[in-house]
Structures are given as structure tokens and as C-alpha cells.
Amino acid sequence: MQRVTAAILEKKGKILIAKRKKGDYLENKWEFPGGKIEAGEPPEHCLKRELVEEFGIQTRIGEFICSSRYKYSHISIELLAYRVEYLSGEFLLNDHEEIKWILPEEFDNYDFAEADIAIVKRLKEKAF
């Protein structure tokens, strides 16, 4: 099972979501940004690294929120979600088609990747 991180990056009550690029296995699906944990890498370090690679931003990784397990046809993953604080940098779209800042009550308007759906449900239950 591949372990993967996800950033719950909040700004003024809104949460950042990212749309997968065309050509990706999960193209056009929305997700919480993050990426695959490398061998021996702590999840928090992975998430910080991935956010630099994907967006060119500096962040502080906060508390663990929850995890989700899902078996796609090509891979089984455990998705680990963390609260993340934006520190600096301009958002670049290196790995995504687009990004949006949305309110938790808007989650149902977006087609999320299946592994992210359990995190969406958790965030809708909790006030941020």
C-alpha cells in the first residue's frame, strides 16, 4: 500500500483544492494537494516537499487530521491529511490543471478523487 499525504490548507475559512491535469489517471478529479511518501521519509517532510514541487510555496505542517484508504484499479493508497499553514511563495501550477479556494459547504459541488472523499466528509463534520 502506497502512503500519500494531503494538505488541508485553509485561508479565511476557505480550503485549497486542486484539479488533476488531463492525461493523469484521475484527470479532472479534485483533490487535496500532496504526494507519495518516499522510503524512510516522514509524512510531514513529504508534504512540505510536495507543496514546494507542486506549487512553489513554503508551508508549516501542522496537526494530523485523518487518514483514508482506497483501492484504485492501479494502486492501493493510504491518504494522510494534515492541517497546513501557508507561509510564502507564489502559487505555480506545476502538477495541476487549476486550484480553487472553497468553503467546506461547497465540497459537494466538486468531483473529488475517491480517496479524498472520506477526508471531505471529515472536514464537513468539523468546523475550521
Side-chain angles (χ1 to χ4, degrees), residues 106-123:
E106 296 175 297
F107 284 146
D108 292 340
N109 300 332
Y110 295 87
D111 184 19
F112 279 90
E114 288 80 359
D116 291 72
I117 291 172
I119 296 168
V120 166
K121 289 179 183 173
R122 176 71 184 264
L123 294 175

Side-chain angles (χ1 to χ4, degrees), residues 17-33 70 72 95-99 110-117:
I17 60 171
K19 187 176 185 182
R20 306 263 317 204
K21 278 187 175 179
K22 289 181 183 8
D24 284 354
Y25 178 77
L26 297 171
E27 70 179 4
N28 297 321
K29 294 277 191 176
W30 290 88
E31 66 181 359
F32 300 105
Y70 192 81
Y72 292 102
D95 289 342
H96 293 90
E97 194 74 27
E98 67 179 292
I99 59 173
Y110 295 87
D111 184 19
F112 279 90
E114 288 80 359
D116 291 72
I117 291 172

Side-chain angles (χ1 to χ4, degrees), residues 13-127:
K14 294 185 176 183
I15 296 174
L16 181 76
I17 60 171
K19 187 176 185 182
R20 306 263 317 204
K21 278 187 175 179
K22 289 181 183 8
D24 284 354
Y25 178 77
L26 297 171
E27 70 179 4
N28 297 321
K29 294 277 191 176
W30 290 88
E31 66 181 359
F32 300 105
K36 294 178 183 171
I37 300 172
E38 297 175 357
E41 183 179 36
E44 297 87 349
H45 291 178
C46 167
L47 190 52
K48 188 172 185 63
R49 173 182 55 76
E50 288 285 349
L51 292 170
V52 169
E53 291 173 7
E54 292 181 7
F55 299 119
I57 62 170
Q58 295 299 315
T59 58
R60 179 176 299 121
I61 310 305
E63 68 179 313
F64 173 75
I65 295 174
C66 66
S67 69
S68 166
R69 290 181 181 212
Y70 192 81
K71 184 176 182 175
Y72 292 102
S73 62
H74 69 294
I75 191 171
S76 293
I77 69 166
E78 179 182 21
L79 186 59
L80 308 171
Y82 290 84
R83 183 183 297 269
V84 175
E85 179 186 355
Y86 166 80
L87 298 176
S88 65
E90 293 291 323
F91 280 86
L92 307 172
L93 294 181
N94 296 323
D95 289 342
H96 293 90
E97 194 74 27
E98 67 179 292
I99 59 173
K100 288 189 178 189
W101 294 92
I102 66 168
L103 296 167
E105 53 266 27
E106 296 175 297
F107 284 146
D108 292 340
N109 300 332
Y110 295 87
D111 184 19
F112 279 90
E114 288 80 359
D116 291 72
I117 291 172
I119 296 168
V120 166
K121 289 179 183 173
R122 176 71 184 264
L123 294 175
K124 284 168 53 175
E125 294 169 0
K126 228 179 158 186

